[in-house]
Amino acid sequence: MRVTLLHHTHDPERIVAQAAKLCYSPSTIEAIGERLSPETVRDFIERLISLGHFSALEHAVFGFGIEGVSRALTHQLVRHRLASYSQQSQRYVRFQHLEYVVPPSIQAHSGLAAEYQQTMDKLAALYQTCLEQGIAAEDARYLLPNACETKIVVTMNARELRHFFQLRCCQRAQWEIRLLADAMLQCVRPLAPNVFAGTGPACVSGACSEGSMSCGRQRAMREKYRGRALPIPEEPAIAKH
Ligand SMILES: Cc1cc2nc3c(=O)[nH]c(=O)nc-3n(C[C@H](O)[C@H](O)[C@H](O)COP(=O)(O)OP(=O)(O)OC[C@H]3O[C@@H](n4cnc5c(N)ncnc54)[C@H](O)[C@@H]3O)c2cc1C
């Protein structure tokens, strides 16, 4: 998995504070900006978040390049509707090789790992045969599995990112999208430490939202996500036919 921060709002916390302060100020927007010190930005953002006034966070926008992930992951990712996506097409791109993600559980299973690879090899061979026989890529792709490697560009604002982290950093989320959420949080937290302070699964800033399905690891989650640097996760394997 490769996650790159492609772009972001210049000085994201400053624009959030400037926009939010305008709601309560008779001044011009420019004058509000000139009066903002790093301390007032921090205090104002803390107050906004504690009051649940999240709309000003929408002015800070972050874009990510995501590669080496499975279609199983991106199918979950694009359920987050308040974001913009551009994904490598299986209609327009004719793949020469099938690259696919191997889940760590299968990789570690000596009995299944080889069979998994053989199945991928068979699918890749039939996909190539279809293309050679003149079948359009949009139909040949029906053979491509959920494991298939894909690339996607995603842009989200800070409010949506906080929501995404609550759902997808949670231990109840699927492992691959959880790795992605952690990597995205790593990218944005240094740029907007107050906006993303205490972000992570819901239990980091409040009660667990999973009820009887809770992982019961609230203390460990708080230690992990309240620290300044998240531990670097172990990568799943990417294989190539
Ligand atoms: C652990 C886990 C398991 C899951 N399992 C399943 C599953 O089995 N099957 C399945 O289908 N999905 C599943 N999902 C996906 C889930 O149902 C959501 O589609 C996904 O998490 C996106 O969340 P969202 O709708 O809150 O967020 P977003 O689309 O990111 O939207 C953010 C927020 O905006 C508001 N919003 C957005 N659009 C609307 C709208 N049209 N109307 C009103 N308010 C809106 C809501 O407040 C929403 O929470 C799972 C998700 C998780 C985290």
Side-chain angles (χ1 to χ4, degrees), residues 75-83 85 156 159-160 163-164 166-174 177 210:
H75 187 75
Q76 300 172 81
L77 176 63
V78 300
R79 294 294 299 277
H80 292 276
R81 293 159 287 180
L82 307 185
Y85 301 101
M156 284 190 193
R159 184 184 194 175
E160 178 66 354
H163 177 70
F164 176 74
Q166 275 207 348
L167 294 179
R168 302 300 186 174
C169 292
C170 173
Q171 290 295 299
R172 291 269 309 141
Q174 186 256 350
I177 198 165
E210 290 295 317

Side-chain angles (χ1 to χ4, degrees), residues 15-173:
I15 183 64
V16 167
Q18 191 175 11
K21 259 192 182 293
L22 177 66
C23 304
Y24 310 103
S25 168
S27 296
T28 65
I29 297 168
E30 192 180 3
I32 292 169
E34 282 165 5
R35 283 200 299 272
L36 282 175
S37 67
E39 292 72 32
T40 52
V41 168
R42 184 197 59 212
D43 294 349
F44 206 69
I45 289 174
E46 271 177 19
R47 217 164 92 226
L48 279 180
I49 290 173
S50 71
L51 293 171
H53 291 179
F54 296 124
S55 63
L57 302 184
E58 295 167 20
H59 296 293
V61 172
F62 301 83
F64 306 85
I66 299 165
E67 296 167 283
V69 296
S70 71
R71 280 253 165 181
L73 181 151
T74 57
H75 187 75
Q76 300 172 81
L77 176 63
V78 300
R79 294 294 299 277
H80 292 276
R81 293 159 287 180
L82 307 185
S84 305
Y85 301 101
S86 300
Q87 181 163 20
Q88 188 176 59
S89 169
Q90 292 182 337
R91 283 189 78 200
Y92 301 124
V93 178
R94 292 162 63 98
F95 297 96
Q96 303 293 320
H97 305 282
L98 172 62
E99 291 193 29
Y100 56 90
V101 173
V102 186
S105 61
I106 293 179
Q107 177 88 353
H109 194 296
S110 56
L112 286 175
E115 204 174 323
Y116 183 89
Q117 190 193 326
Q118 285 156 16
T119 305
M120 295 295 155
D121 290 349
K122 271 192 202 156
L123 289 172
L126 186 52
Y127 171 82
Q128 290 304 334
T129 304
C130 283
L131 294 181
E132 284 157 22
Q133 297 286 322
I135 303 292
E138 69 173 19
D139 288 346
R141 70 174 165 168
Y142 279 65
L143 289 158
L144 300 178
N146 269 334
C148 202
E149 189 270 347
T150 187
K151 301 172 180 52
I152 190 165
V153 170
V154 183
T155 299
M156 284 190 193
N157 67 49
R159 184 184 194 175
E160 178 66 354
L161 274 171
R162 284 172 52 93
H163 177 70
F164 176 74
F165 295 144
Q166 275 207 348
L167 294 179
R168 302 300 186 174
C169 292
C170 173
Q171 290 295 299
R172 291 269 309 141

